[in-house]
Amino acid sequence: DIVMTQSPFSLAVSEGEMVTINCKSSQSLLSSGNQKNYLAWYQQKPGQSPKLLIYYASTRQSGVPDRFIGSGSGTDFTLTISDVQAEDLADYYCLQHYSYPLTFGSGTKLEIK
Amino acid sequence: EVQLVESGGGLVQPGSPLKLSCAASGFTFSSNWLNWIRQAPGKGLEWVASINPDGSSTYYPDTVKGRFVVSKDNAKNTGYLQMNNLRSEDTAMYYCASGGITWGQGVMVTVSS
């Protein structure tokens, strides 16, 4: 099974600041066939179901603000949120869908000071 | 409007069965994978089951393999999760998701005597 190690567990920032959330996989998520990384990022606001932010490690889902940026390849991935807004208060999860069983990171709680 | 609506949750005793439904609307259900993901109270996301578009292939983690069965009726635009021999550790909010993009609002399953 691929283990997804996500960090930090939580962080608190002021509006306008930038945050980075990291996810490391125990095996490469890069497909040799299409050169795509099978890594997605989700945002879950309090009391809501998760929402897809980023897929293939760096492709922003339609409608997602461009302050959300996904990067990385292979085993190391980062979600960067620039100019954090109060509405970004949420839990964030990475997901590998390279192989079964699909596995999520443990989550990062973003709090706004 | 693209939508998934889960139903069928509730309080059941350990060892009991329960069947969840996931009704889709606003998109071509038959062309998409269907996934079930759960979230125990205060915990992170856990993948539970996947089924391919035509229903011919299914996938499960070891934690539910042999107890849960995922299916989909493309004619009815509805997916299902049959859960058997439920345990207390199966207590969670259960979400269905089409591919990884559209998620339902979730349905609560509580396993307790």
Side-chain angles (χ1 to χ4, degrees), chain A residues 6-10 21 91-94 104-109, chain B residues 44-45:
Chain A
Q6 187 173 339
S7 64
F9 172 76
S10 67
I21 300 169
D91 294 328
Y92 293 84
Y93 295 91
C94 59
F104 287 91
S106 54
T108 296
K109 179 178 291 292
Chain B
L45 300 171

Side-chain angles (χ1 to χ4, degrees), chain A residues 30-111:
Chain A
L30 178 63
S31 168
S32 58
N34 58 13
Q35 290 300 298
K36 292 186 184 296
N37 287 280
Y38 284 73
L39 186 284
W41 288 97
Y42 287 87
Q43 175 194 62
Q44 186 178 31
K45 294 184 177 181
Q48 296 185 16
S49 53
K51 170 189 172 184
L52 177 65
L53 295 176
I54 304 286
Y55 61 95
Y56 291 147
S58 60
T59 302
R60 203 176 296 112
Q61 173 66 4
S62 175
V64 173
D66 58 10
R67 64 177 184 276
F68 291 90
I69 301 168
S71 61
S73 183
T75 61
D76 291 279
F77 303 91
T78 300
L79 175 67
T80 301
I81 311 172
S82 61
D83 188 23
V84 167
Q85 302 296 301
E87 68 204 49
D88 300 333
L89 181 152
D91 294 328
Y92 293 84
Y93 295 91
C94 59
L95 165 71
Q96 72 79 17
H97 55 110
Y98 179 84
S99 67
Y100 290 102
L102 308 185
T103 44
F104 287 91
S106 54
T108 296
K109 179 178 291 292
L110 175 61
E111 298 175 328

